[in-house]
Amino acid sequence: MELTLWTYEGPPHVGAMRIASSMKDVHYILHAPQGDTYADLLFTMIERRGSRPPVTYTTFQARDLGGDTAELVKGHIKEAVERFKPSALLVGESCTAELIQDQPGSLAQGMGFDLPIINLELPAYSKKENWGASETFYQLVRGLLKDQPKESEHISTAWKEEGRRPRVNLLGPSLLGFRCRDDVLEIQKILGAHGIDINVVAPLGAKPADVLRLPKADINVCLYPEISESTCSWLERNFGMPFSHIVPIGVNATQDFLKEVHQLLGMDPPTIEQGNHQSKLTWYSKSVDSNYLTGKRVFIFGDGTHAIAAARIAKEELGFEVVGLGTYSREMARHVRSAAKELGIEALITNNYLEVEAAMAEAAPELVLGTQMERHSAKRLGVPCAVISTPMHVQDVPARYSPQMGWEGANVIFDDWVHPLMMGLEEHLIGMFRHDFEFVDGHQSHLGHQGGLQNENDLPNESNTVSNEETPIWTSDGKAELAKIPFFVRGKVRRNTEKYARQAGCRNIDSETLYDAKAHFRA
C-alpha cells in the first residue's frame, strides 16, 4: 500500500457499492469501521443522486474490538433484511474490517434467510475499485443464475425461427461510470433504429429478477469491459451466449460495433455511408477548419476502455499525433499496451498521478485527454485538457444529455476536444498582443490565465540564467523570440534549444541560436 495525495481508484468495496447502488431491490451489508461511510458522498455529490446508496454499515468502533464484533455484524444484517426486504443481499467488508477476519458473508449465509446471499471476498490490499465492481457483478449474476436450468443449445439467430425481433443485453453500465446513463440511452436508440430490442440493461437500473432473464437474449453487448467482460465470458461458457467486443466510442468504432452486432445476430450489416451522415465529427474532419487540428500532439491517460477509444479517434478521425497513451487500470494493461504498440509508442501503466504528470511534461503535448487529475496537471503545465474518463469531478457529470458512445457521443467528443484547442489558440493570441491597450490590466481569456502569461516559468528569468559551466545564458533578443512561441510547446523548445547550445558550445542564446536549434532538430 502506498500513501498518495490522490488515487485513480478507490478500494474494491467502493466498486461493490457502485453495483449495489446501480441496481434495485439489492442491499449491501458492509462490515466497516466508523469513517468508511465517506463513500456515500461519491454518489450524493458526484452523481448528485437524491437518495443515499442501499448500504448498511456495521460502523464498529475501537471499543467494539474488545468484544464480539461477529454478533454486531449479525445484528446489522438482521435489521437490514427486515427493514429493506431486498430481493438479494450482498455482504462484504472494507479494507480495515478485512483485518479482523469476521467473515461476514459466512455469518449471513448461516442465518437462515430465504433470499440469495452473495458473499463478496474482495482483497482490499491487492485490488482496486473497477476490479471490485467487476467481481461483484460477476458473483451476483453467477449466484442468481447458477441453479437455473439450461435450455437447449443457445442459437443467436433463433429470433428468425421464432418470428420476433432480435434482442440483446447491455452489460456494464453503472453509477460513477463515465456518462453511462447517457451511453445506454444512445445505444438503445441506435439499436432500436436497426430493429434490435433491448432485453436487459445491467447493472444500471436492473433488479435481481431482470438478471434471471439474461439468458433470454440472443447475445450480450459488453459496453464497459472493466465491469462486464468477466460476466460476459461466464455467460458465454455456461449459456452459450456470444458477446460483442467492440466499444462504440467514436464514428469508426460505432460503425464497427454495429457490424459486429449484426453479424452475431445473423443480420445484414449497415453500410459505412449510413454512419458517415450521423455525426458532425466526420464532416468537420474533412472541412477546411480542421486543418488547425491536423497533427496536434495529444497525450491520453484514463481507464482502459476510454483511453483506447480516444487514441483511435485521435489518430483515425481527427488526425492527431498520439504522443502518450496509458491507463491506471492494470486489468486493461495488455489491451492498452497493444494499442500503444500500434501507434509506435510505449504505454504508461501506473496509478501514480505524479508519474503521469512527469510523462506528460516530457511528451510536451498540445492537448491532454485524461481524468480530472490530468486536468489539474495540464493546468500546471499550461496545456489544454478534456476529461474523458473517471475519476471525474462533478462538472464532468452534466445534467444534460451528454453521451460518449454512438453518433451523438461522437458529437459530444468533437465539442469537448476541439474547444480546449480553440481556447488554447485564443490564449496564445492574447499572449502575442498582450501589450495592446485592450489586453492590459490583467485581461484573462476563457482559460483563466493572466493574459497568456500563465507560463512565464517557460521563459528564462534572472534565477535560471545565472552563468555556470553548463547553462547557456539567454540574451534579451533570445527571450523575446522565445516568448513568441505558443505556450503549449514553449517549454519543449526552450529545453531543446539549451540542449543544442550546450552541444554546440554556445555560451549565449540569441534568436539566431534558437533558429539554428530549430533547424537542427528538424533535420
Side-chain angles (χ1 to χ4, degrees):
M1 182 168 281
E2 179 180 347
L3 286 177
T4 182
L5 178 63
W6 281 336
T7 58
Y8 286 98
E9 296 181 270
H13 73 261
V14 173
M17 287 181 64
R18 288 174 56 184
I19 302 303
S21 301
S22 298
M23 300 184 68
K24 301 175 182 178
D25 295 341
V26 171
H27 201 79
Y28 183 27
I29 304 293
L30 182 59
H31 190 28
Q34 271 189 332
D36 275 358
T37 55
Y38 74 91
D40 278 17
L41 297 176
L42 297 173
F43 299 91
T44 56
M45 291 181 64
I46 303 299
E47 284 278 357
R48 293 179 287 186
R49 288 173 57 81
S51 59
R52 64 176 298 275
V55 180
T56 292
Y57 300 89
T58 59
T59 56
F60 61 85
Q61 302 177 50
R63 64 173 178 265
D64 297 318
L65 297 178
D68 191 351
T69 52
E71 287 302 318
L72 180 70
V73 172
K74 292 169 69 174
H76 280 86
I77 293 173
K78 183 175 183 296
E79 180 182 346
V81 171
E82 291 176 352
R83 178 182 176 186
F84 297 105
K85 296 179 173 55
S87 299
L89 191 68
L90 304 175
V91 184
E93 51 200 347
S94 72
C95 46
T96 310
E98 184 181 328
L99 301 174
I100 304 175
Q101 297 289 307
D102 275 333
Q103 303 295 322
S106 299
L107 291 174
Q109 289 173 338
M111 292 177 68
F113 294 116
D114 186 22
L115 78 164
I117 296 176
I118 311 300
N119 180 14
L120 299 177
E121 296 183 1
L122 308 177
Y125 295 95
S126 59
K127 298 295 184 179
K128 295 288 187 179
E129 178 182 329
N130 279 340
W131 183 90
S134 174
E135 180 69 8
T136 300
F137 186 47
Y138 164 74
Q139 292 293 350
L140 180 61
V141 171
R142 181 183 177 187
L144 293 174
L145 290 177
K146 64 180 180 180
D147 296 327
Q148 182 167 312
K150 298 179 178 62
E151 299 178 357
S152 56
E153 181 183 359
H154 185 91
I155 302 174
S156 59
T157 58
W159 59 274
K160 295 180 180 180
E161 287 72 26
E162 295 174 10
R164 58 171 175 83
R165 284 160 58 109
R167 52 179 177 247
V168 303
N169 297 318
L170 303 184
L171 302 184
S174 71
L175 294 180
L176 292 181
F178 197 74
R179 312 280 175 86
C180 287
R181 175 202 65 186
D182 299 340
D183 285 345
V184 168
L185 295 175
E186 178 68 11
I187 298 305
Q188 283 178 324
K189 181 172 68 174
I190 290 176
L191 293 179
H194 287 271
I196 301 171
D197 293 334
I198 306 301
N199 181 52
V200 172
V201 177
L204 189 62
K207 299 179 180 180
D210 295 322
V211 172
L212 296 175
R213 296 192 295 111
L214 287 177
K216 299 295 183 182
D218 297 302
I219 67 168
N220 291 314
V221 172
C222 183
L223 283 184
Y224 302 93
E226 284 92 344
I227 307 300
S228 60
E229 188 171 40
S230 58
T231 300
C232 288
S233 296
W234 184 83
L235 289 169
E236 184 175 48
R237 291 193 306 271
N238 289 272
F239 291 89
M241 301 178 69
F243 66 97
S244 64
H245 294 79
I246 298 173
V247 180
I249 301 179
V251 174
N252 292 345
T254 299
Q255 290 171 339
D256 291 345
F257 164 78
L258 286 173
K259 180 179 179 181
E260 181 185 28
V261 169
H262 279 68
Q263 288 177 341
L264 289 174
L265 292 170
M267 303 172 68
D268 294 329
T271 63
I272 294 178
E273 288 71 23
Q274 288 177 294
N276 285 339
H277 299 291
Q278 300 288 336
S279 173
K280 290 184 179 179
L281 190 151
T282 305
W283 162 82
Y284 187 84
S285 297
K286 298 178 181 178
S287 71
V288 174
D289 289 345
S290 71
N291 290 339
Y292 169 68
L293 303 179
T294 303
K296 290 294 183 185
R297 296 166 57 84
V298 60
F299 183 95
I300 302 170
F301 192 88
D303 68 45
T305 294
H306 289 90
I308 293 171
R312 181 178 181 183
I313 295 170
K315 181 177 183 294
E316 297 180 4
E317 299 175 32
L318 287 171
F320 291 162
E321 178 187 357
V322 180
V323 295
L325 176 63
T327 183
Y328 56 80
S329 179
R330 297 193 179 277
E331 291 78 23
M332 293 287 288
R334 181 171 56 85
H335 301 293
V336 174
R337 285 195 179 99
S338 177
K341 185 177 181 180
E342 292 181 6
L343 295 167
I345 57 179
E346 184 176 351
L348 175 64
I349 313 297
T350 180
N351 58 5
N352 187 328
Y353 71 96
L354 294 176
E355 290 183 17
V356 180
E357 183 171 329
M360 190 189 307
E362 179 65 25
E366 295 161 89
L367 175 67
V368 172
L369 304 173
T371 73
Q372 71 153 333
M373 295 197 286
E374 280 64 57
R375 175 164 51 203
H376 286 285
S377 297
K379 187 175 182 180
R380 282 193 291 271
L381 297 172
V383 182
C385 178
V387 174
I388 63 164
S389 161
T390 55
M392 58 194 174
H393 190 269
V394 64
Q395 71 186 77
D396 305 309
V397 187
R400 68 184 183 279
Y401 182 63
S402 186
Q404 294 287 285
M405 294 185 178
W407 310 125
E408 189 58 30
N411 288 334
V412 172
I413 288 171
F414 162 60
D415 285 339
D416 288 348
W417 296 15
V418 170
H419 290 172
L421 283 173
M422 295 305 183
M423 292 301 100
L425 175 61
E426 175 185 316
E427 188 73 9
H428 174 51
L429 293 175
I430 289 175
M432 287 180 63
F433 297 102
R434 63 184 178 273
H435 298 298
D436 289 8
F437 71 94
E438 293 183 59
F439 296 97
V440 297
D441 299 328
H443 177 86
Q444 293 188 13
S445 77
H446 294 286
L447 290 180
H449 299 162
Q450 294 290 329
L453 301 181
Q454 178 73 12
N455 298 291
E456 285 294 336
N457 59 340
D458 288 336
L459 295 175
N461 53 43
E462 295 301 322
S463 63
N464 59 27
T465 55
V466 176
S467 177
N468 58 51
E469 294 184 358
E470 295 185 357
T471 306
I473 300 173
W474 284 82
T475 66
S476 57
D477 175 49
K479 291 181 184 180
E481 199 63 30
L482 182 62
K484 297 177 183 178
I485 294 173
F487 69 92
F488 39 78
V489 292
R490 189 183 298 150
K492 182 176 183 180
V493 171
R494 177 187 166 190
R495 291 192 296 272
N496 284 346
T497 304
E498 291 176 349
K499 179 180 178 181
Y500 168 80
R502 285 192 292 269
Q503 292 174 349
C506 299
R507 297 292 299 128
N508 298 312
I509 299 178
D510 55 17
S511 59
E512 291 299 323
T513 310
L514 195 151
Y515 294 143
D516 291 342
K518 180 179 179 181
H520 171 77
F521 285 103
R522 277 191 172 182

